[in-house]
Amino acid sequence: MSKYGSFPGTRPRRLRTTPAMRRMVAETRLHPADFILPAFVREGVSEPVPIGSMPGVVQHTRDSLKKAALEAVEAGVSGIMLFGVPEDEKKDAVGTPGTDPDGILQVALRDVRAEVGDELLVMSDLCLDETTDHGHCGVLDDQGRVDNDATLERYAEMAQVQADAGAHVVGPSGMMDGQIGVIRDALDQIGREDVAILAYTVKYASAFYGPFREAVGSSLKGDRKTYQQDPANVGDSLRELALDLEEGADMVMVKPAGPYLDILARVADASDVPVVAYQISGEYSMVEAAAEKGWIDRDRAILESLTGIKRAGAQNILTYWATEVARGLR
């Protein structure tokens, strides 16, 4: 008995004493296979174009994209999600480059599949925002509103063209009602039951998308609050999850990841398919900017943020650090 009273009988600190001890008892572990690399490919450029608001990330040429895909394979990354950036003069009201077999995204899908085959899951963004002159994720009606059902027809065409170009997985990100069911039917109609659908089930109208809009050369005027979700709502996300699962989603996504870990945990608890989270451009850029200022330890912050996302329930994570972190883990 100490003069200060009884010493504690239970000492949790014993399991924190050394790096080996902490590693052994860790409850959450990151693995290279957890990661999916988002990548941008831009039409008509001869050199990769740096994205000013995302230090270290570029708009790839076709050749540099193939190199990035090979590097991802070598690092043990599971997938690469491709976003095509067409030349501005090719954009129009209905996003024609999105269904043109020779559109930049379809060309890039063929390039990457030829380069990596089945060693890397080749995924494609299925949305119109990069290809429309108004920058919205769908077709507009005569009052300038996004027409849900007319957009679904475009998504069906996009799914078929992307599957023909070699996508293992399509990722419809436009948040149109009924999009998963329509895309599943469109793929089945051309005998592509093998192509998986990664549903953007939870996609909030977030301020953290800012750098991404530079990355894809967005032409958006206004906002997407009539189809992306209100950050104040939880039940809306669970309703979207139920609908996407009923319509045939093979995987579901929560986006953004970091600001919505509570939503991610709720979705993971309720889902019987793999759950993916997207650590988006704003999350990436905040860490890079603070690290550049010397305000935080960059490498520790990256790993901590990714560990938090996985701990909350994500089986896989889209992150711009995918290849870098996977290399470090290996």
Side-chain angles (χ1 to χ4, degrees):
M1 174 71 71
S2 164
K3 65 179 180 179
Y4 303 111
S6 299
F7 286 116
T10 302
R11 296 181 183 268
R13 287 183 57 193
R14 292 191 189 108
L15 301 183
R16 305 171 194 154
T17 52
T18 67
M21 177 67 80
R22 294 190 292 273
R23 185 170 63 248
M24 185 182 76
V25 301
E27 298 173 25
T28 304
R29 300 179 192 276
L30 296 172
H31 186 278
D34 296 338
F35 301 121
I36 300 163
L37 175 68
F40 308 101
V41 56
R42 179 170 169 178
E43 188 173 25
V45 295
S46 57
E47 298 289 338
V49 178
I51 299 167
S53 57
M54 298 180 70
V57 180
V58 301
Q59 294 172 325
H60 284 286
T61 66
R62 289 173 60 186
D63 285 339
S64 70
L65 177 65
K66 290 187 286 186
K67 181 181 178 183
L70 283 173
E71 290 173 348
V73 170
E74 291 164 1
V77 169
S78 284
I80 186 167
M81 174 67 80
L82 302 185
F83 297 85
V85 184
E87 295 174 321
D88 285 344
E89 59 268 25
K90 294 184 179 179
K91 297 179 181 181
D92 59 22
V94 296
T96 296
T99 48
D100 180 354
D102 294 320
I104 183 59
L105 179 55
Q106 287 70 252
V107 169
L109 286 167
R110 291 195 291 272
D111 285 345
V112 174
R113 276 302 301 272
E115 195 74 19
V116 301
D118 292 333
E119 292 188 77
L120 188 70
L121 281 175
V122 180
M123 305 176 167
S124 56
D125 179 57
L126 200 164
C127 194
L128 290 171
D129 59 323
E130 296 102 305
T131 60
T132 53
D133 53 13
H134 48 73
H136 277 287
C137 298
V139 179
L140 304 184
D141 65 17
D142 56 8
Q143 297 183 54
R145 302 171 302 188
V146 174
D147 185 325
N148 191 94
D149 295 0
T151 300
L152 293 181
E153 294 185 21
R154 297 291 293 137
Y155 285 2
E157 294 178 58
M158 292 180 74
Q160 293 176 338
V161 171
Q162 290 177 3
D164 286 342
H168 293 105
V169 181
V170 295
S173 58
M175 296 302 291
M176 296 298 116
D177 294 340
Q179 62 185 14
I180 303 305
V182 165
I183 290 167
R184 184 72 273 160
D185 286 346
L187 291 169
D188 290 351
Q189 285 174 18
I190 62 168
R192 296 309 307 272
E193 297 89 351
D194 58 319
V195 175
I197 300 175
L198 168 56
Y200 281 61
T201 292
V202 179
K203 186 177 182 182
Y204 283 99
S206 173
F208 292 94
Y209 297 134
F212 180 89
R213 291 178 183 167
E214 178 189 352
V216 297
S218 175
S219 306
L220 180 67
K221 303 292 189 297
D223 59 52
R224 299 186 172 119
K225 293 180 180 179
T226 64
Y227 44 102
Q228 293 178 356
Q229 292 164 256
D230 185 340
N233 293 344
V234 176
D236 195 16
S237 298
L238 300 178
R239 185 183 187 200
E240 292 277 7
L241 173 64
L243 289 168
D244 283 353
L245 293 175
E246 182 181 345
E247 291 174 26
D250 300 289
M251 298 172 275
V252 296
M253 183 192 289
V254 175
K255 180 180 181 181
Y260 296 94
L261 295 181
D262 60 323
I263 306 300
L264 174 57
R266 294 283 293 272
V267 169
D269 285 345
S271 177
D272 59 359
V273 301
V275 176
V276 181
Y278 196 149
Q279 185 181 55
I280 66 169
S281 59
E283 298 175 73
Y284 172 91
S285 296
M286 287 192 301
V287 170
E288 292 288 352
E292 190 275 330
K293 291 283 190 181
W295 293 342
I296 60 172
D297 181 321
R298 176 183 181 274
D299 293 348
R300 286 185 61 195
I302 291 170
L303 289 176
E304 186 175 336
S305 66
L306 292 168
T307 300
I309 294 167
K310 188 170 183 185
R311 188 184 63 240
Q315 184 167 330
N316 297 100
I317 306 170
L318 280 90
T319 176
Y320 299 97
W321 292 303
T323 301
E324 175 187 345
V325 172
R327 281 176 178 154
L329 293 172
R330 286 171 73 93

